[in-house]
Amino acid sequence: MTALDAFLAELERLRSDAAAALDSAVPTGVASADAVEAARVEFLGARSGRLKAIQKLLGGVPAADKPAAGRHFNETKAAVAALLAAAQARVAAAATPAAPPLDVTLPGTPVPRGHLHPLTQTIRRVQEIMGRLGFESVDGPEVEDQWHNFEALAIPAEHPARDPLDNFYLAVARGSDPLLLRSQTSTVQIRVMEGRKPPLRIVSLGRVYRPDTADATHYPMFHQVEGLLIEPGTTMAHLKSVLRLFASSFLGGDVHVRFRPSFFPFTEPSVEVDMEWGGRWVEMGGAGMVDPAVLAAVGYDPAEVSGFAFGLGVERIAARRYGVADIRDFFRNDVRFLSQF
Ligand code: PHE
């Protein structure tokens, strides 16, 4: 056997012994961390490792065979180093604590759930209560013309309610009939009466717009609930009964309703509606018997039909119900406020 063959045989023995010691089949754990370290010292130890010993045999290999011997030596060294690194990595992985087992009985991470805005809740509740009294819920447009917001409601051109400073007129040119954001939901009375014959029982809830400075009780956009009943023989007593039934259902308990004489161009007689709840009277809106001029404007015969109409502020009744002192809170979108409802 040549010196080179003997040298290569030594390398091969080293490689297979190292593979046997550091093979991935070697068990892992604390004990094997020691085993891996022992293998490192045995095979690659800088002072008395077996590779070091084989390196010394290189001196006995003839000069002509040295390059081949050196190449094999380096290959074997790299292969054993790779086996060692893999074994060390397995030991390290085994030493890191495993993720705790999944406990399916633990409470989950709650997903925050939203809910309807208090004003939307109020609107739905009003619709539901009025529905039980036979009032159908209808919608109307928020952009209105002069006829529906004013003329048909007996609010003539020179009436101060039509002042540009008191309304949001739209900039689009429409000649003598400018459009505006509706200032009241009474517009829907007209739209419904124009399209249908009596008897009628409707409510309409939606946004209205007035250029008011925002304060605790005003906002340039707010919501109204409009009620209209057209039936033969209707009187103010029916109006008061409906409002009292509604208020008692909505606020809970025995609510008293008080009428104070007032004026609206489209009702005659007209009243302000106050409600007493928890020992305090609060103004909730306006009401009255539908003015004959309004009935005539939509093509009804005032000699034959009569009815009542009322308009209440949604923010007002919601604030009263929930004890909200400042209606601006409804529009701030602060979840700390909204989540209370
Ligand atoms: N539309 C009136 C307002 O906005 C309220 C009202 C409605 C009055 C219906 C009488 C009848 O002030």
Side-chain angles (χ1 to χ4, degrees):
M1 187 188 273
T2 64
L4 176 63
D5 287 341
F7 181 79
L8 293 183
E10 280 299 315
L11 283 178
E12 192 42 50
R13 205 149 57 82
L14 175 82
R15 189 204 288 259
S16 69
D17 286 354
L22 295 167
D23 188 86
S24 61
V26 167
T28 52
V30 180
S32 66
D34 294 341
V36 169
E37 177 58 11
R40 185 190 68 79
V41 172
E42 178 187 348
F43 299 109
L44 300 175
R47 237 169 315 147
S48 51
R50 285 170 56 181
L51 195 72
K52 196 80 195 166
I54 296 173
Q55 194 177 11
K56 285 179 186 145
L57 298 177
L58 200 56
V61 175
D65 292 334
K66 277 220 167 83
R71 191 157 32 81
H72 280 98
F73 179 86
N74 285 335
E75 276 172 18
T76 305
K77 184 177 175 180
V80 174
L83 281 169
L84 177 74
Q88 284 170 334
R90 283 198 306 279
V91 167
T96 44
L102 180 66
D103 182 351
V104 293
T105 66
L106 285 175
T109 313
V111 178
R113 285 182 64 198
H115 59 68
L116 292 177
H117 189 279
L119 289 179
T120 306
Q121 290 181 33
T122 302
I123 286 169
R124 301 226 175 146
R125 180 108 182 86
V126 172
Q127 287 170 329
E128 192 237 319
I129 294 169
M130 293 307 291
R132 280 191 263 137
L133 297 176
F135 287 76
E136 175 199 347
S137 182
V138 296
D139 272 336
E142 288 178 28
V143 173
E144 268 297 4
D145 51 33
Q146 302 292 298
W147 171 254
H148 292 96
N149 202 88
F150 299 125
E151 296 285 343
L153 289 162
I155 305 173
E158 65 280 3
H159 195 281
R162 293 176 70 157
D163 195 302
L165 292 176
D166 290 330
N167 293 283
F168 286 112
Y169 284 97
L170 301 197
V172 286
R174 243 177 139 252
S176 58
D177 185 16
L179 296 172
L180 75 162
L181 297 178
R182 68 178 176 192
S183 60
Q184 51 185 353
T185 45
S186 300
T187 54
V188 187
Q189 290 182 34
I190 303 302
R191 289 192 173 272
V192 170
M193 288 192 286
E194 279 174 338
R196 300 194 206 174
K197 292 267 156 275
L200 283 177
R201 286 190 191 194
I202 56 115
V203 274
S204 186
L205 289 102
R207 297 189 176 108
V208 297
Y209 303 83
R210 294 177 195 176
D212 287 331
T213 304
D215 62 24
T217 54
H218 295 84
Y219 208 76
M221 182 281 299
F222 58 103
H223 298 74
Q224 284 187 331
V225 42
E226 189 82 14
L228 174 72
L229 181 147
I230 307 282
E231 278 170 30
T234 306
T235 69
M236 292 286 277
H238 297 118
L239 169 62
K240 200 168 196 175
S241 298
V242 165
L243 287 171
R244 189 160 131 84
L245 274 171
F246 162 72
S248 297
S249 302
F250 182 79
L251 296 169
D254 197 17
V255 181
H256 294 270
V257 172
R258 177 173 76 184
F259 284 168
R260 278 181 292 118
S262 186
F263 173 80
F264 295 101
F266 38 91
T267 46
E268 180 60 34
S270 301
V271 292
E272 302 283 347
V273 180
D274 298 340
M275 291 179 185
E276 193 253 21
W277 189 64
R280 211 155 62 88
W281 286 100
V282 183
E283 187 190 317
M284 293 294 193
M289 300 305 290
V290 179
D291 195 290
V294 174
L295 297 172
V298 297
Y300 289 1
D301 180 356
E304 284 189 0
V305 294
S306 62
F308 65 70
F310 63 86
L312 310 176
V314 172
E315 281 77 0
R316 256 183 217 187
I317 60 173
R320 189 85 187 96
R321 166 106 155 68
Y322 296 123
V324 173
D326 188 332
I327 66 159
R328 286 171 294 189
D329 284 335
F330 286 126
F331 307 116
R332 286 198 176 105
N333 276 345
D334 185 334
V335 238
R336 290 170 302 178
F337 171 80
L338 296 175
S339 61
Q340 299 175 74
F341 298 91

